[in-house]
Amino acid sequence: MRKSGLVFGVLLCSSLLFGCPRKQAPAASVPGIPVSTTPPPPTYDDISVRCQNARVPVIMYHDIIKKRGAKSAWFDCTVTEFTSAIDKLKADGASFVSLDDLYKHLNTGFALPAKSVVLTFDDNYQGFYDNAYPILKQQKIPSVMFVHTNFVGTGGDHPKMKWETVKALDKEGLCTIGSHTLSHPDNLKNLPATDQTRELSESKSLIEKQLGHPVKYLAYPNGSNGDVTQQIAKTAGYLMAFTIENGPAEESPNILAVNRYVHTRVDKAWADCRKAETDVPAAVYEAKVNASPVHLEMGEYAGVKMGLTRGGAPVTVHSPGRQSVGEFIDGLKGVAGINGTFFADAHVNGTDNHLIGPAQTADGYFVGDDAPERLPRLVNRPIIMWGPDKVAIFPFQPGTMNRAEAIKNFMPDFTDVFLAGAWLVHGGVARTRDQMEAQAASDSEETRRRAFFGVDVTGQFVAGATLEVVSTSKMAEAAAAAGVQEAVLLDSGFSTSLIYDNKIIVTGHTSTEIPSRPVPHAIVLKGTVAPSEDPAVIEFLKTADLASGPGSIKPSVESGDPPPRRRRSRRNRRRKSEDTTAPTDNPTRVPGPDMTPLQKPDQPIPP
């Protein structure tokens, strides 16, 4: 039942974070309801890496009314407003898709039409059937109705559909019916687990009994859910569930907490998804690898002097402490290498080895980022991974990709993975500063010696570093000019270190006599060396310093000669510390490739 009075209704609804306040009906038990007939979920039952090539907004509506009155709430939508929104979406090129198609897309990467949109409706209002459904039916637009079963057939100012109407909708096939609990509790996640189970299981079973087929989808009232709620939903047999958190569906925490925008934010939803398609980018890059002999190139690309290697079979290594890249290469008997990804403790003299984002090295241990406060800032940064014959890059989603399961589902034989700092080059085109700004590290445009790792059009791995201080966007232009097809940003500045045939090609300091600082993570290239025929490269190698072994220069932090420090503004120092706060008292290794510091075996769900 609705609260009377527009002002009171608005205040109450706002306090519930865009939910739909209703007087709670008694959650009566329903005798004789059969056990759910939902088919078992697929082997992998969460959001797939393969869906990251799109961004789909899910829009949430409630009652559709003819016109506003004294008892209207802000989340009511008039027929005129609804028609206008649909017309505008269609004019902008929207394709409306069903919930089944959205689920297949999120779970398997099923290809959806460009600019797909999903329309959902909560609370089984009769106004939907009378005012919205005729419009949708005429235009063959699929939709979803989430039913809270204790209110089916109730009257009042905003009556609810009867079971006969719900069944008629379901039979026509254009509108999917999902559950919205029994009694629409204001704060579902705070109820005892037994009450949450009754709300989710009995409503599902009751709808299934009325419709005669499985009910696979759920919308949490007011979006209220937590880990316990999600586990109960999964146990009850739901395949996908929705919150009221804003964001594209692909960026949701998991398949049982899919994002939705309230209809008053439909323009924002559309803009967010279109921007993400280009700026993230919404893409899943895959290519076969070409492990050719490793050769060195040095030159000027787009006005930037760089050294780079092409070829080789890359192997990542994660040290218990920190080492020079030359030592990493020597230990793995490689022929070349470059410093790896970003690490949590950025102090030059630090010894902590915690990385930012998840990583797995060739020894088979997967380590998730164990600093939960950092994970939201890592959304959509690029993950790069490879296996024996394939390489891939895609946007990182912490809710699913901080564990090995999603990565293995995408590439079962993967050997190496890590989170990079920014996606520099995509499809052979340098990405702009504006495109990278939202996902890249806060200091990405500061000028320093910078490093990247990527793939060229032939499938050769390319490791490159600048011989001068540049911004990230400038290095992206240089990498694209060098023929790199896809590239990601590696840790830079004092960490920058490119080694070839035990010779230091690029160091993180402007003086070549000061080697780069030790790092906890590196990419070692194995294979054979292809001698250069470039006279400039041959001459450079004659005088280059050794990277390891007798005669090599020790890292400055070990010799007591710390590298010069450049003054930064107070604002940038604060932002840097936010990006690199080191977690403490956490393991760096876990018992096996399926375990991360965020997972604990046999951990019971709290009662």
Side-chain angles (χ1 to χ4, degrees):
M1 297 176 64
R2 299 170 65 99
K3 303 292 183 181
S4 61
L6 177 60
V7 174
F8 181 79
V10 170
L11 290 174
L12 179 59
C13 192
S14 297
S15 70
L16 292 174
L17 295 176
F18 308 124
C20 31
R22 298 291 183 267
K23 181 178 178 180
Q24 185 169 323
S29 61
V30 184
I33 292 179
V35 175
S36 170
T37 56
T38 301
T43 302
Y44 180 74
D45 57 2
D46 216 323
I47 296 177
S48 168
V49 166
R50 295 195 179 278
C51 77
Q52 291 301 316
N53 58 3
R55 288 296 182 269
V56 177
V58 181
I59 312 300
M60 173 182 64
Y61 285 90
H62 291 86
D63 202 1
I64 307 299
I65 59 178
K66 291 187 180 298
K67 62 180 181 179
R68 294 193 176 277
K71 296 182 179 180
S72 298
W74 68 269
F75 53 81
D76 288 334
C77 180
T78 67
V79 175
T80 299
E81 292 166 343
F82 181 70
T83 303
S84 176
I86 297 299
D87 289 346
K88 187 174 187 302
L89 287 169
K90 291 182 67 175
D92 288 338
S95 297
F96 299 95
V97 298
S98 70
L99 215 54
D100 284 341
D101 282 350
L102 177 68
Y103 175 76
K104 287 191 295 182
H105 166 67
L106 293 180
N107 181 243
T108 69
F110 174 77
L112 294 177
K115 301 180 179 179
S116 289
V117 176
V118 175
L119 301 180
T120 70
F121 297 80
D122 289 6
D123 299 347
N124 45 288
Y125 287 106
Q126 183 67 35
F128 164 79
Y129 189 78
D130 295 339
N131 302 319
Y133 186 62
I135 298 170
L136 300 175
K137 185 176 180 180
Q138 182 184 26
Q139 302 185 49
K140 298 181 180 178
I141 296 175
S143 62
V144 189
M145 173 56 72
F146 291 110
V147 176
H148 47 6
T149 56
N150 285 6
F151 293 93
V152 172
T154 58
D157 296 319
H158 294 262
K160 306 301 177 69
M161 290 183 288
K162 297 178 181 180
W163 279 119
E164 289 76 10
T165 307
V166 174
K167 287 190 284 187
L169 267 177
D170 179 70
K171 187 176 182 179
E172 291 191 13
L174 193 60
C175 181
T176 301
I177 305 299
S179 171
H180 202 37
T181 72
L182 290 170
S183 65
H184 199 290
D186 290 341
N187 202 335
L188 178 65
K189 71 177 181 181
N190 286 351
L191 294 180
T194 53
D195 290 348
Q196 293 189 50
T197 300
R198 183 173 63 252
E199 289 283 346
L200 301 187
S201 297
E202 292 188 6
S203 62
K204 183 178 190 295
S205 296
L206 182 56
I207 299 171
E208 290 175 343
K209 183 179 180 180
Q210 291 287 339
L211 303 184
H213 62 74
V215 170
K216 299 176 286 186
Y217 309 119
L218 166 72
Y220 304 109
N222 305 318
S224 176
N225 77 98
D227 292 342
V228 173
T229 316
Q230 292 174 22
Q231 184 58 54
I232 291 171
K234 183 175 182 178
T235 302
Y238 292 104
L239 299 183
M240 183 166 59
F242 293 86
T243 70
I244 56 173
E245 294 295 323
N246 287 181
E250 295 81 0
E251 297 179 18
S252 303
N254 60 68
I255 201 79
L256 292 171
V258 178
N259 298 328
R260 281 197 300 174
Y261 293 85
V262 68
H263 80 275
T264 55
R265 296 182 177 177
V266 63
D267 289 342
K268 172 179 169 55
W270 183 262
D272 285 352
C273 291
R274 301 292 77 76
K275 183 175 175 62
E277 286 175 344
T278 57
D279 289 5
V280 170
V284 177
Y285 169 79
E286 294 180 83
K288 291 184 177 180
V289 300
N290 174 14
S292 59
V294 182
H295 64 277
L296 175 68
E297 298 175 16
M298 301 184 72
E300 186 170 310
Y301 307 89
V304 177
K305 295 178 181 178
M306 287 199 309
L308 54 87
T309 65
R310 293 184 196 266
V315 176
T316 57
V317 57
H318 186 187
S319 171
R322 298 188 185 184
Q323 298 175 263
S324 71
V325 174
E327 290 169 330
F328 281 120
I329 296 170
D330 190 52
L332 290 179
K333 302 186 183 306
V335 298
I338 195 167
N339 60 286
T341 193
F342 294 76
F343 43 97
D345 182 5
H347 294 98
V348 172
N349 293 308
T351 59
D352 185 272
N353 77 333
H354 285 76
L355 303 181
I356 294 177
Q360 178 172 305
T361 53
D363 56 12
Y365 287 101
F366 186 97
V367 181
D369 192 312
D370 51 7
E373 72 281 357
R374 181 167 56 227
L375 289 173
R377 298 197 298 272
L378 305 181
V379 173
N380 286 328
R381 287 194 187 183
I383 276 188
I384 182 169
M385 64 181 297
W386 58 86
D389 57 6
K390 185 182 294 186
V391 60
I393 306 174
F394 48 85
F396 175 62
Q397 305 305 330
T400 52
M401 300 179 195
N402 202 38
R403 304 184 302 274
E405 184 182 12
I407 309 298
K408 281 186 173 181
N409 177 67
F410 173 70
M411 188 186 293
D413 61 347
F414 85 99
T415 56
D416 299 76
V417 64
F418 63 85
L419 186 72
W423 200 329
L424 302 174
V425 180
H426 178 49
V429 178
R431 288 169 34 78
T432 67
R433 173 177 180 170
D434 289 344
Q435 288 176 327
M436 292 187 285
E437 188 173 33
Q439 289 80 42
S442 59
D443 59 354
S444 63
E445 282 304 301
E446 291 185 7
T447 56
R448 57 185 62 174
R449 296 282 181 100
R450 294 201 168 272
F452 72 86
F453 189 66
V455 187
D456 67 15
V457 72
T458 70
Q460 293 184 107
F461 286 99
V462 183
T466 65
L467 289 158
E468 54 188 302
V469 295
V470 296
S471 66
T472 294
S473 56
K474 189 62 182 174
M475 182 177 67
E477 295 174 7
V484 178
Q485 186 75 3
E486 305 286 335
V488 296
L489 176 67
L490 302 177
D491 195 17
S492 297
F494 298 143
S495 298
T496 302
S497 179
L498 179 65
I499 308 296
Y500 170 82
D501 198 17
N502 200 32
K503 298 293 180 69
I504 298 176
I505 307 304
V506 181
T507 175
H509 305 289
T510 53
S511 171
T512 57
E513 296 180 355
I514 304 177
S516 304
R517 66 172 172 183
V519 293
H521 186 256
I523 304 167
V524 174
L525 294 166
K526 305 190 80 172
T528 59
V529 170
S532 176
E533 298 180 358
D534 185 339
V537 172
I538 295 171
E539 193 63 29
F540 178 89
L541 291 174
K542 287 179 181 179
T543 59
D545 292 315
L546 295 176
S548 67
S552 63
I553 302 175
K554 295 297 181 183
S556 58
V557 294
E558 295 181 5
S559 65
D561 180 20
R565 300 183 68 182
R566 193 161 49 84
R567 185 181 300 275
R568 289 185 293 169
S569 70
R570 180 179 300 174
R571 174 171 174 266
N572 278 340
R573 286 198 300 271
R574 183 173 65 251
R575 292 174 68 188
K576 182 68 174 177
S577 68
E578 290 173 354
D579 267 355
T580 58
T581 301
T584 58
D585 300 326
N586 285 301
T588 59
R589 293 292 190 193
V590 289
D594 293 324
M595 298 288 295
T596 80
L598 299 181
Q599 295 175 296
K600 296 181 180 179
D602 304 322
Q603 185 174 3
I605 297 173

